[in-house]
Amino acid sequence: MSQHKHRRRAPAKRALKQTWVLIVAVVVVTVAAGVSLGLLASSGDGGSGGSEQGRSAPGEAADSGAAVAPTPSPTRSYPLSKAPQTIPAVRSHTAARGPGWRPAENKRVVVSDKELADEGRLIAGELGLTYAGQKSDVRAGDVRLALGDDEGANPESYTMTVRGGRVAISGPGEAGVFYGTRTLKQEVHDGGTAPEGVVRDTPAKPVRGFMLDIARKHFTAGWIEDRVRELGDLKYNQLGLHFSDDQGFRIESKSHPEIVSQQHLTKAQVQKIVELARSRHIQIVPEIDSPGHLGAVIAAHPDLQLRNVNGVATRGAIDISKPESAKIVDDLLNEYAGLFPGNQWHLGGDEYQALVVSDPQASYPQLASAARKAYGSGATVADLTTGWLNGRSDTVRAHGRTPRAWNDGFFRDTSVQPDKQIQVAYWTGKEIGAREPLVYLAAGRKVINYNDEFLYYVLGEPQTFVYPTGERIYQQWTPRVLRGTTAVPAKYDPQILGGSFAVWCDLANSQTQAQVAAGIRMPLRATVQKLWDPGKPQLTWAEFRALADRLD
């Protein structure tokens, strides 16, 4: 009520002065209390949104109609929330006013759909909450996971709403809901608060991969499992395992136990890794490289070794003119198709040494003869090698897999063309015969970026390789930078499915497992940031690195 209405007579001067002193005191105390409560509500590590403001979706208002304007004191008021700081950064955050959300022992995780039980149990365990299962009731502090019915939406997208002391995460697919829980986990890490408002998030690229060479260097199952957990929290969705090479064959085999190295993973260990990856929505992409890089197989089958016209053995190369060569590789592809679920397979196809000599036909007459017999009088060793790749593609495609092969396994001027379904794993422009990325893109092929200029972590730094840094990836690389440092035209972006950071163990003893984990830590974070959102990051590199340190 106004202090000036309904007064019947003017007070004495001293009484008037006392009245105003009292009024001022009341106002000061009231305002101070309101400010104090507001600050209290937004205090802590991150407060009501203790992170940088993210980008709002185009056309969205700041509050999106979701928040109620603060009422006068003594009711608490809150500042407008800031976007969460996560890796990768969320694509959109609509700010709101409110206390945000923090985990507590008496709070629960509930799901609207039974398919989300695994995601619900995982985040409940991570945050110390109670997993209550499928429930329709609403309680204070709930985290609710739900599948939406948004047909045609990216199944890896999600919406997270923090409002009224509760969190709701929904998405058209289980993967998207899982990624929403990863965002929540990062928001509340180390006492933080999930800020009030709405996050709408979706990845730019469907392939966000990490490839590990376990053939040249044995990695323990526990170490690989730790990487799976790390990759899941960073929203990666593929883990490539290169488990066959000249130096070793590292997974137990029933069809050909004679080729398996002494240090290897058992199938039971692999199944555990596969199941852990599945729970994190990560697909294992196996690779048995052929017709080169088969030294471990050839060591047990020396009769299949490729030899030149002078009888000299060719390193790591199998003789593809012999039917037995195709049989043993297909035996392995068929066997491991039962171990690795999913729809992806890496066929390798690179660095077949028969094709690095000046005249393959003269140097390997048996290959030239087989090529002519299979494909006509003008056929070459490159035609025969392309036919080999197509044959292995047929084998994995029979299991419902989409094949990929290294870019230098595709040859120019051949009469035999590679299967159109084979995706290009583009890694280099330095190898003999390697062509520009535009050659494959213009032909309509889908490409995955493994650019060795940025994404190759080669143990011991042989040849011209140097360990990649997260800073360089963060500042200079995008999925369109397929070769060297130059991006391909934007019109080809839809054909670039994504990318993969790769660890190669050429000099296996150069680093321990712990050193590898430490060395790839920031490159992995920078790579997924650019695969989730290839635009210029809002954080500086120093800020991004500090955020990574805080979230670990």
Side-chain angles (χ1 to χ4, degrees):
M1 180 180 292
S2 169
Q3 299 292 323
H4 300 286
K5 282 189 174 182
H6 310 299
R7 286 183 299 183
R8 301 192 178 186
R9 59 189 178 89
K13 185 177 294 186
R14 182 176 179 181
L16 179 62
K17 181 177 181 181
Q18 290 175 336
T19 301
W20 280 111
V21 169
L22 178 61
I23 292 171
V24 170
V26 170
V27 170
V28 168
V29 170
T30 303
V31 171
V35 171
S36 176
L37 287 168
L39 290 175
L40 177 63
S42 62
S43 65
D45 185 9
S48 66
S51 54
E52 298 281 339
Q53 180 69 38
R55 280 170 287 181
S56 295
E60 290 181 340
D63 288 304
S64 190
V68 178
T71 56
S73 299
T75 304
R76 293 185 298 180
S77 62
Y78 301 92
L80 200 62
S81 64
K82 296 181 180 179
Q85 282 194 331
T86 59
I87 297 177
V90 300
R91 305 289 295 276
S92 165
H93 176 254
T94 302
R97 300 183 188 277
W101 182 91
R102 285 186 179 184
E105 288 185 7
N106 61 340
K107 295 180 180 179
R108 63 180 190 166
V109 175
V110 296
V111 299
S112 298
D113 307 88
K114 61 183 179 180
E115 295 86 351
L116 296 173
D118 289 345
E119 290 75 16
R121 289 191 183 96
L122 178 61
I123 190 64
E126 291 170 328
L127 301 187
L129 309 177
T130 299
Y131 176 66
Q134 192 172 3
K135 301 288 183 181
S136 58
D137 63 315
V138 176
R139 294 186 187 176
D142 275 356
V143 174
R144 177 171 293 278
L145 311 182
L147 293 174
D149 55 0
D150 190 2
E151 292 185 12
N154 185 341
E156 293 189 306
S157 65
Y158 68 92
T159 299
M160 180 169 69
T161 302
V162 179
R163 181 184 299 153
R166 292 186 293 273
V167 179
I169 300 173
S170 64
E174 294 170 46
V177 174
F178 171 72
Y179 297 141
T181 67
R182 299 307 87 191
T183 295
L184 180 64
K185 180 182 177 182
Q186 289 192 27
E187 286 177 332
V188 301
H189 176 75
D190 197 24
T193 299
E196 202 87 2
V198 181
V199 167
R200 294 180 178 86
D201 207 8
T202 188
K205 292 297 180 183
V207 174
R208 304 179 302 282
F210 169 58
M211 197 229 73
L212 181 64
D213 172 11
I214 65 172
R216 294 179 177 91
K217 181 180 179 70
H218 173 66
F219 288 87
T220 64
W223 190 92
I224 297 172
E225 289 170 5
D226 286 344
R227 300 289 74 70
V228 169
R229 296 184 185 94
E230 180 181 15
L231 295 172
D233 283 351
L234 292 171
K235 303 186 177 86
Y236 277 89
N237 63 1
Q238 290 189 4
L239 168 61
L241 291 181
H242 176 93
F243 63 93
S244 170
D245 214 301
D246 296 344
Q247 294 83 351
F249 192 99
R250 302 291 183 180
I251 296 179
E252 174 188 359
S253 172
K254 299 297 186 184
S255 65
H256 291 281
E258 73 280 0
I259 70 175
V260 179
S261 301
Q262 183 177 6
Q263 282 190 310
H264 66 274
L265 299 173
T266 67
K267 285 192 173 180
Q269 288 175 319
V270 173
Q271 287 171 339
K272 185 179 177 184
I273 292 168
V274 168
E275 181 58 25
L276 179 65
R278 184 205 63 78
S279 73
R280 266 66 175 178
H281 295 274
I282 296 171
Q283 181 176 175
I284 307 292
V285 183
E287 181 190 358
I288 298 177
D289 202 345
S290 77
H293 294 282
L294 282 172
V297 173
I298 294 167
H301 295 272
D303 55 310
L304 300 182
Q305 176 87 58
L306 178 65
R307 297 180 180 276
N308 69 12
V309 68
N310 298 317
V312 178
T314 303
R315 176 177 57 85
I318 203 167
D319 189 337
I320 60 176
S321 70
K322 297 181 176 182
E324 297 83 2
S325 295
K327 181 181 184 307
I328 193 171
V329 173
D330 283 347
D331 284 348
L332 296 169
L333 295 176
N334 288 322
E335 176 182 1
Y336 291 108
L339 182 62
F340 294 104
N343 59 6
Q344 301 293 311
W345 199 284
H346 203 316
L347 296 172
D350 64 315
E351 297 179 325
Y352 189 47
Q353 296 301 303
L355 291 169
V356 302
V357 298
S358 59
D359 189 347
Q361 284 65 234
S363 295
Y364 299 95
Q366 76 276 34
L367 299 184
S369 175
R372 291 191 296 270
K373 182 178 179 180
Y375 303 113
S377 60
T380 65
V381 174
D383 287 312
L384 187 69
T385 308
T386 302
W388 169 278
L389 183 66
N390 288 343
R392 310 296 70 75
S393 174
D394 290 342
T395 300
V396 300
R397 287 179 63 197
H399 293 283
R401 311 302 166 86
T402 298
R404 69 182 68 163
W406 300 113
N407 64 287
D408 53 326
F410 296 78
F411 309 107
R412 68 179 79 237
D413 303 325
T414 55
S415 59
V416 179
Q417 295 299 306
D419 181 346
K420 291 187 179 298
Q421 301 302 313
I422 303 174
Q423 298 171 354
V424 179
Y426 199 99
W427 73 280
T428 186
K430 301 169 185 175
E431 293 291 303
I432 294 175
R435 290 170 287 170
E436 293 285 346
L438 289 178
V439 173
Y440 307 98
L441 294 168
R445 287 197 181 271
K446 294 180 179 178
V447 177
I448 301 169
N449 191 326
Y450 289 79
N451 187 341
D452 63 346
E453 182 78 19
F454 290 93
L455 307 179
Y456 262 35
Y457 192 95
V458 185
L459 297 197
E461 300 182 305
Q463 302 176 50
T464 60
F465 288 107
V466 295
Y467 292 129
T469 67
E471 181 176 7
R472 189 161 181 258
I473 296 168
Y474 191 77
Q475 294 180 340
Q476 299 180 29
W477 180 81
T478 73
R480 284 172 45 212
V481 180
L482 286 161
R483 175 175 176 169
T485 59
T486 304
V488 300
K491 68 178 181 178
Y492 293 116
D493 186 67
Q495 289 174 238
I496 302 170
L497 300 179
S500 180
F501 189 84
V503 170
W504 294 102
C505 302
D506 292 39
L507 300 175
N509 295 324
S510 300
Q511 289 191 341
T512 65
Q513 290 186 145
Q515 288 172 322
V516 173
I520 66 177
R521 175 177 165 272
M522 287 310 301
L524 279 177
R525 283 151 179 77
T527 299
V528 80
Q529 172 60 44
K530 303 304 278 291
L531 289 168
W532 195 266
D533 184 354
K536 184 178 179 180
Q538 287 197 313
L539 299 182
T540 67
W541 169 249
E543 291 169 335
F544 185 81
R545 185 177 56 200
L547 174 61
D549 291 342
R550 182 169 66 80
L551 294 176
D552 284 350

